[in-house]
Amino acid sequence: MDKIKQRLAFIYENENIETIYDAIVKRLNEAKAKNLRERKQNWDESDVVLITYGDQFSEEGIPTLDTFKKMFDGYLANKFEIVHILPFYPYSSDDGFSVIDYKKVNPIIGDWTNVENLSKSARIMFDYVCNHISAKSEWFQEYLKGNPEYSNYFTEMDPSIDLSSVTRPRALPLLSKFKLANGEEKYIWTTFSDDQIDLNFKNPQVLLDMIDVLLFYLEQGAEYVRLDAVGYMWKEVGTSCIHLEKTHEIVKLFRDLLDEAAKGTVMITETNVPHLDNISYFGSGSDEAHMVYQFPLPPLVLYSLHNENGNYLTNWAKQLDGAGQDSTFFNFLASHDGIGLNPIRGIIPEEEILSLVNDLKEEGALVNYKKNSDGSESPYEINVTYLDALNKQSYSDDLRVKRFVLAHSILLTFPGVPAIYIQSMLGSRNDYKGVERTGMNRSINRQKYILEEIEKELNNQETLRHKVFKELTNIIRVRKEEALFHPNAKMEVLELGDKIFALKRVKDSESLVVLHNLSNDEVQVNLFGKFINIITGAVEEFKEGISLNPYQFLWLKPTN
């Protein structure tokens, strides 16, 4: 508790922090008095995350979260221990990330009883959209009405002030103009859109209200908490307004509260930024995020398969520091957002990134751009399903499956906790009708399904969806049963040629070698000995090296 007081003194240098501290302690004790459910302490090889929307599957007249539970119990429960439900609160835009009310469940999805029912099948990750709130929210609407209670909840800014040093994630205005009820016009800080109003954490009451929300989520059963767009929380004119010291201190404060209220709750920071900035949210390794997103992995794997060359992936992985025993990486290939490009700037030359973007655009991908400080624009995100990103339109389904499952072999064998997006599990292609309907590029990878229709496709052995689902199911099963895939087991990256991405996982005196042929050619690997192929269970001896077929991967454990 002394730590919490010290953090408050750092965040609010000139404030009387006793009142703030007392309010936090009171709310924390209320949460602890509710005897929150016991959490799993730490993570292991069995932990695989499913990323999904709460209204992903529907049946007429049934709350979609109940329909999701039916789908999950029937098809997914033996594959995924944790379900990340993307924001399931009432919202006004951005498919949930402009939250109208943090403490309510979107009525289409159900209510808190439906969330509780799902938590009986899996541990649940909640989204904590802590940087901004919907323009339609009560907080912002009361601000517009002139309610003095909310007068300092948002950041007003004179538009003549030079804000050119502020990091911009999107090619949209940083300030948005609003008219108050008295006719006065104000320019308000909106990092992402004019419907996503940044909260002003310089106001201690905002911090107290958001701590109340955080602890409320624990009371409702959240065992994982994802801090969305957390890097932008603190603003200081004249700085980049991202990753500031006080932002980190607030994140550490959130971690202290989680550990105090419900030890074992996992906090994940979402910061789609270059690698060194991203891993700064580990803090000392035990005082900030438990997990950070492994943002370079999706574009690096995509680049490697697109170019049939794993050099950049190998070199990056070789230099990747372990996260330590008290923290780990949250690995993924696809998510509800596009494939971010900023995390590989500095790893892959810009001209090669632009070449990748152009190639994918020719195959039907869409692209979002960000505005640079000099007024130019750069692509920051490729919008496409990961299945279509990896494959040309002319490819056969069999080739699509090979390349796609190979990519997921990298995901499932890499150090950290792997997460698979529902569209990947379902073998989804680009949803252009969704883009046309919403006008948003990101809708290309956010298709929703009628339960009966998607079940029919999954159960038809001739469909691409069935083939992808079957192959991913198999390697997920093997990963979950192999102790050498513990998130914190050591990784050694092997250099076996441009077309190979290879690694060794090591724990105690045991090891396991993973080989990936990134090319459409047969490749010879100079690796010898007798191994158990843990996917097939067969014992194989390689006296003259290993010959890998196009896009073949092997998980090999030495027999001795």
Side-chain angles (χ1 to χ4, degrees):
M1 300 306 293
D2 285 344
K3 231 186 314 188
I4 291 174
K5 191 173 283 190
Q6 291 167 11
R7 299 204 194 287
L8 291 172
F10 180 83
I11 297 165
Y12 301 113
E13 304 164 48
N14 301 314
E15 298 272 352
N16 179 358
I17 64 165
E18 290 300 326
T19 303
I20 309 168
Y21 174 75
D22 289 346
I24 291 174
V25 171
K26 180 183 178 184
R27 181 65 183 90
L28 183 60
N29 287 336
E30 288 173 0
K32 291 167 71 174
K34 295 189 177 180
N35 296 318
L36 303 182
R37 74 175 59 175
E38 189 174 340
R39 268 69 171 164
K40 178 178 179 178
Q41 300 300 311
N42 225 311
W43 38 78
D44 58 36
E45 60 277 3
S46 70
D47 290 328
V48 182
V49 180
L50 178 70
I51 305 169
T52 184
Y53 283 98
D55 61 348
Q56 193 66 61
F57 308 105
S58 62
E59 298 172 283
E60 190 172 348
I62 297 176
T64 59
L65 213 51
D66 280 355
T67 300
F68 177 83
K69 186 178 188 305
K70 186 186 296 186
M71 176 70 178
F72 184 81
D73 290 343
Y75 292 85
L76 301 162
N78 59 345
K79 304 162 187 62
F80 298 99
E81 302 295 314
I82 303 125
V83 176
H84 171 201
I85 316 174
L86 292 155
F88 51 84
Y89 325 110
Y91 68 95
S92 52
S93 63
D94 200 18
D95 283 339
F97 285 93
S98 52
V99 179
I100 293 175
D101 191 327
Y102 290 113
K103 290 188 171 184
K104 289 184 178 176
V105 176
N106 184 343
I108 295 170
I109 291 171
D111 57 26
W112 288 112
T113 302
N114 302 104
V115 176
E116 171 66 21
N117 287 340
L118 180 59
S119 72
K120 295 171 184 175
S121 295
R123 286 174 282 152
I124 308 297
M125 183 193 300
F126 283 31
D127 257 293
Y128 180 47
V129 186
C130 51
N131 177 71
H132 49 264
I133 195 168
S134 169
K136 309 295 189 299
S137 66
E138 181 183 1
W139 294 3
F140 192 65
Q141 289 300 306
E142 288 299 308
Y143 163 82
L144 293 177
K145 290 175 186 176
N147 184 339
E149 184 180 340
Y150 294 91
S151 63
N152 198 27
Y153 266 54
F154 309 99
T155 303
E156 299 174 357
M157 191 62 55
D158 183 339
S160 66
I161 291 176
D162 181 11
L163 299 174
S164 59
S165 59
V166 176
T167 297
R168 300 298 299 119
R170 297 181 183 174
L172 292 169
L174 176 62
L175 304 179
S176 298
K177 184 168 69 173
F178 293 91
K179 183 176 284 190
L180 275 60
N182 63 6
E184 191 177 359
E185 291 184 339
K186 294 286 187 180
Y187 285 84
I188 307 297
W189 199 293
T190 54
T191 298
F192 294 97
S193 81
D194 60 6
D195 190 38
Q196 294 170 302
I197 316 298
D198 286 51
L199 295 166
N200 178 21
F201 279 90
K202 289 184 177 179
N203 176 1
Q205 189 58 48
V206 169
L207 177 70
L208 292 176
D209 282 351
M210 293 308 290
I211 286 173
D212 174 55
V213 170
L214 178 63
L215 295 176
F216 175 78
Y217 288 165
L218 299 192
E219 292 166 352
Q220 299 304 317
E223 296 191 46
Y224 279 59
V225 178
R226 174 187 182 271
L227 276 57
D228 176 66
V230 67
Y232 299 93
M233 280 197 301
W234 197 270
K235 281 81 175 170
E236 292 288 352
V237 173
T239 73
S240 65
C241 296
I242 188 171
H243 316 314
L244 300 186
E245 277 189 278
K246 292 191 177 182
T247 290
H248 279 283
E249 204 65 23
I250 293 171
V251 175
K252 290 177 181 180
L253 174 61
F254 291 161
R255 166 71 180 266
D256 293 338
L257 294 170
L258 293 184
D259 286 349
E260 185 70 24
K263 187 76 173 175
T265 305
V266 175
M267 187 173 77
I268 303 173
T269 51
E270 187 264 340
T271 52
N272 194 349
V273 293
H275 184 65
L276 289 178
D277 292 325
N278 188 35
I279 63 173
S280 70
Y281 287 85
F282 279 137
S284 69
S286 60
D287 66 345
E288 205 162 342
H290 296 90
M291 296 184 191
V292 301
Y293 274 72
Q294 188 69 278
F295 277 109
L297 192 63
L300 276 169
V301 171
L302 170 60
Y303 176 94
S304 301
L305 272 159
H306 184 81
N307 292 280
E308 300 189 4
N309 187 312
N311 282 342
Y312 289 124
L313 177 60
T314 295
N315 291 337
W316 168 77
K318 279 175 58 183
Q319 298 168 27
L320 193 64
D321 291 331
Q325 291 304 306
D326 297 320
S327 53
T328 193
F329 289 104
F330 187 80
N331 298 325
F332 71 109
L333 294 179
S335 74
H336 62 290
D337 289 339
I339 301 167
L341 298 172
N342 291 341
I344 55 169
R345 290 191 156 101
I347 299 173
I348 296 177
E350 187 68 16
E351 61 271 18
E352 295 190 46
I353 294 175
L354 295 178
S355 176
L356 175 67
V357 170
N358 289 332
D359 286 352
L360 265 65
K361 282 174 70 175
E362 288 182 7
E363 292 294 330
L366 307 176
V367 181
N368 279 331
Y369 293 84
K370 68 181 182 76
K371 193 172 287 294
N372 302 317
S373 57
D374 62 0
S376 64
E377 291 189 348
S378 300
Y380 77 86
E381 179 182 85
I382 305 170
N383 300 111
V384 61
T385 67
Y386 209 77
L387 182 63
D388 276 339
L390 287 174
N391 294 288
K392 293 184 178 181
Q393 294 179 17
S394 60
Y395 286 174
S396 68
D397 280 355
D398 286 347
L399 184 54
R400 280 191 178 88
V401 173
K402 279 184 182 179
R403 289 167 61 92
F404 193 61
V405 178
L406 172 77
H408 283 81
S409 168
I410 297 174
L411 169 68
L412 290 167
T413 59
F414 213 76
V417 171
I420 298 178
Y421 184 39
I422 188 68
Q423 305 295 351
S424 294
M425 201 66 201
L426 298 176
S428 297
R429 307 288 304 277
N430 289 337
D431 181 19
Y432 294 109
K433 288 182 180 178
V435 175
E436 187 177 335
R437 185 176 60 254
T438 66
M440 289 172 46
N441 284 356
R442 286 179 170 178
S443 296
I444 200 169
N445 192 26
R446 297 180 177 181
Q447 187 176 356
K448 307 294 172 62
Y449 305 96
I450 295 171
L451 181 64
E452 183 181 2
E453 294 177 359
I454 194 66
E455 284 186 308
K456 188 175 180 180
E457 282 193 76
L458 285 176
N459 292 325
N460 181 349
Q461 297 185 14
E462 301 303 314
T463 64
L464 176 62
R465 291 193 190 280
H466 174 88
K467 293 171 184 176
V468 167
F469 190 86
K470 179 182 176 182
E471 293 296 326
L472 290 183
T473 292
N474 188 40
I475 59 174
I476 290 170
R477 175 188 57 78
V478 177
R479 181 241 153 69
K480 287 166 63 73
E481 295 172 354
E482 177 50 64
L484 284 161
F485 290 136
H486 188 287
N488 297 108
K490 184 180 176 184
M491 174 179 71
E492 297 175 13
V493 180
L494 309 177
E495 296 188 70
L496 298 174
D498 297 352
K499 296 182 177 182
I500 299 292
F501 177 65
L503 57 90
K504 180 188 288 188
R505 299 297 300 275
V506 180
K507 186 179 180 184
D508 300 326
S509 60
E510 289 194 310
S511 67
L512 187 151
V513 176
V514 182
L515 305 174
H516 301 94
N517 180 2
L518 303 168
S519 76
N520 199 29
D521 300 320
E522 187 175 310
V523 178
Q524 192 73 16
V525 176
N526 290 326
L527 192 66
F528 310 94
K530 185 182 284 189
F531 300 87
I532 300 171
N533 180 330
I534 66 168
I535 295 177
T536 65
V539 176
E540 303 179 45
E541 186 169 9
F542 303 102
K543 295 182 178 180
E544 299 178 358
I546 300 174
S547 182
L548 287 174
N549 294 323
Y551 306 117
Q552 184 181 7
F553 60 90
L554 294 173
W555 299 359
L556 301 174
K557 185 184 286 189
T559 55
N560 60 350

